[in-house]
Structure formats: C-alpha cells, structure tokens
Amino acid sequence: RLIMEYLLKANAIVILFYLCYKLFLQRETFFESNRYFLLAGLAIASIIPFIVIPIYITAPELNEFNFISVGNEIPANNIVENSFNFFQLFQWVYLLGIVIFSIKFLIEFTGLFIILIQNKKTKKGDYTYVETEKDHSPFSFFKYIVYNPNHFNVTELEHIILHEKVHAKQYHSIDIIITKITAILFWFNPFIWLYNKSLQQNLEFIADSNTQQKITDAKSYQTLLLKTVLSPKQMTLVNNFYNSLIKKRIIMLHKSKSKQ
C-alpha cells in the first residue's frame, strides 16, 4: 500500500507540473527557466511523497458505553487476504514494467557505447568529435558530438556542431538520463511520456536559440532543420539534432522574446 500511495502522489504532482507548463509556459521564450521548472517538477514529484506532515488530534475518553456490539461481522482475515491479492498483483505488474523498460534502457545505452567506442574520435578542446559512416542523425552525449561528415556541407556541419555544443556545454544529457529514469519508474502514467517529450523539446529550443545568435545566416540554419523530413534513424538516449518537432522549433526561432 505504501508503494501505491507513493506512486499516486508522485504522479499527481507530475500531472500538475505538466499542466502548468502546457497552460502557462510552453509558448514563452524563457527556455532556460522552463528547463529548470520541468526538472524541478520531476525532483519534487520524487521527493515530496516521502514527506509526512503529522496531524495530532485528541482522542475521546473510552468507556464501556463507547462500544457497540455488531453481529454478522466479516472475518478480518478475509479482508486482509483479498487486499493482499490485489496489491500483490499490482506490485508484480509494476515491477514487470520496470524490468522491461530497464532492459530497453540498457540496450539503448549499450548501442550508444558501441558507437562512441568503434568510430574515429578527435579531441578538440573540451569536446570529442566522433565521425561515423552510419546513417545516424547528428547527436551529442555529454562532451561527445557524433555526426556523419558525408551527409553535410561545410556550412551545415558548422551549424550542427554549434547546436550540439550548446547541448554539451549545458549538460543536457543529464536531463535526458533523468527523464529516462523517471519514465522507467512511472511508466504506467501517460503524462510522464508527454512530460519528457516537452522537456526534450525545450532542450532543442535552448540549443536552437543559442545557435541562431551565433550565426549570421539564420535562413540557412532553418533550411538545415527542414532537411529532417529525410532524416536517418535517431537514438533515444541522446540529444538528437533531428527530431519530429521541426515546425515548433522554427516557430520559436521567429517568435519575439517574451516580456520579463
């Protein structure tokens, strides 16, 4: 019962933060603030249910007139037995979901590790550039920036690297890992998947905004984003340059800065 109580409270908080973001913050250009708001929502949802605020009440004095004999009572052992079966079933289903999504997470991480190990690496300053011959979309994972140089011209490659450097510099990979872990823990809640999608989308807004400020030809950057309609396969454990939310990304690039 304690597990179910915790999950109900935690997921209620996740839903509350998600609705607040969708209603009040999603259309604003405070991308960095939105990032911390969404991360705070996951942290609060994980911690707050553990906090118990005790409420003390004064119990009335008991005497023989406080007790009433009730006939045909249901045996207590039957109630306990039925409740135990239900919660046991819930726990097994919940744990099965965690096992399945944990295995999926490990498979994704293993695939990422293989890409970083097997391909040519070049260390430049704080970043390690990994050139691959496979049809992976450009992505970053902490200080690793992975791309296929044969898919882009010089200008496009410069834009991509600038974009991925923003992800790397601001440690957006930590956000991705946190979203993966919370998705494993709260897998049964459909809002957690929408929540994580919004958080990852906001990370792209941050990278797009910072990148456009550093380049002179904004049109060429937006044209590069449009190439995603023909994008190759993506990895889910990293910050992909390509994703399916291109329209929103371009709209945000054209949007005026929100008033403080």
Side-chain angles (χ1 to χ4, degrees):
R1 292 195 179 191
L2 292 177
I3 294 177
M4 178 173 283
E5 182 180 348
Y6 170 82
L7 292 175
L8 288 174
K9 291 179 180 179
N11 283 277
I13 296 173
V14 166
I15 295 173
L16 178 62
F17 268 82
Y18 176 75
L19 293 178
C20 286
Y21 173 77
K22 296 295 287 187
L23 292 174
F24 305 113
L25 301 175
Q26 180 179 236
R27 295 180 179 85
E28 305 301 329
T29 61
F30 305 125
F31 304 131
E32 283 81 5
S33 298
N34 287 349
R35 175 194 180 190
Y36 294 117
F37 174 84
L38 291 170
L39 288 176
L42 295 179
I44 291 173
S46 301
I47 297 173
I48 287 296
F50 286 114
I51 300 176
V52 178
I53 301 176
I55 299 177
Y56 299 96
I57 60 174
T58 302
E61 294 183 1
L62 299 180
N63 52 53
E64 59 181 346
F65 298 105
N66 292 121
F67 299 94
I68 302 176
S69 176
V70 179
N72 299 324
E73 293 182 349
I74 300 174
N77 59 340
N78 290 339
I79 298 178
V80 173
E81 184 179 354
N82 293 335
S83 299
F84 172 78
N85 290 336
F86 171 77
F87 288 113
Q88 187 179 44
L89 176 62
F90 168 79
Q91 290 177 4
W92 279 111
V93 173
Y94 174 67
L95 291 175
L96 178 62
I98 287 182
V99 170
I100 292 173
F101 285 104
S102 295
I103 293 174
K104 182 175 181 293
F105 176 83
L106 292 176
I107 292 173
E108 293 170 354
F109 187 83
T110 301
L112 170 62
F113 183 76
I114 291 173
I115 291 176
L116 297 180
I117 292 297
Q118 290 184 346
N119 292 284
K120 175 184 175 183
K121 292 181 285 294
T122 304
K123 178 77 172 179
K124 294 182 180 179
D126 295 331
Y127 307 98
T128 300
Y129 299 93
V130 182
E131 295 184 4
T132 178
E133 298 296 328
K134 296 184 179 180
D135 291 334
H136 291 292
S137 65
F139 66 86
S140 61
F141 184 71
F142 288 95
K143 297 296 184 178
Y144 290 90
I145 298 177
V146 183
Y147 58 90
N148 187 332
N150 300 321
H151 289 170
F152 312 98
N153 58 43
V154 176
T155 301
E156 291 174 341
L157 200 53
E158 289 177 354
H159 293 347
I160 289 172
I161 290 176
L162 282 174
H163 178 99
E164 297 304 333
K165 278 185 176 180
V166 176
H167 286 308
K169 185 177 182 180
Q170 297 190 15
Y171 294 98
H172 290 175
S173 294
I174 295 178
D175 301 42
I176 301 297
I177 293 175
I178 290 174
T179 61
K180 289 292 181 181
I181 293 174
T182 53
I184 292 173
L185 294 176
F186 305 147
W187 61 267
F188 57 89
N189 181 3
F191 281 93
I192 193 63
W193 303 101
L194 297 173
Y195 194 106
N196 291 351
K197 183 178 180 181
S198 294
L199 195 152
Q200 294 178 27
Q201 173 185 300
N202 187 69
L203 296 180
E204 295 304 322
F205 293 159
I206 294 174
D208 288 339
S209 178
N210 281 268
T211 301
Q212 187 163 258
Q213 293 174 11
K214 298 176 181 178
I215 61 179
T216 55
D217 188 1
K219 185 177 180 180
S220 64
Y221 181 73
Q222 294 169 28
T223 302
L224 177 60
L225 291 181
L226 291 175
K227 288 181 65 176
T228 58
V229 294
L230 301 174
S231 65
K233 62 181 180 179
Q234 304 176 20
M235 301 191 67
T236 61
L237 194 59
V238 296
N239 297 289
N240 284 288
F241 182 81
Y242 289 160
N243 62 55
S244 61
L245 303 169
I246 302 306
K247 182 179 178 180
K248 290 185 178 181
R249 289 171 64 180
I250 294 177
I251 290 174
M252 282 300 185
L253 286 173
H254 286 276
K255 192 168 186 179
S256 301
K257 188 176 182 180
S258 300
K259 293 183 180 180
Q260 194 67 32

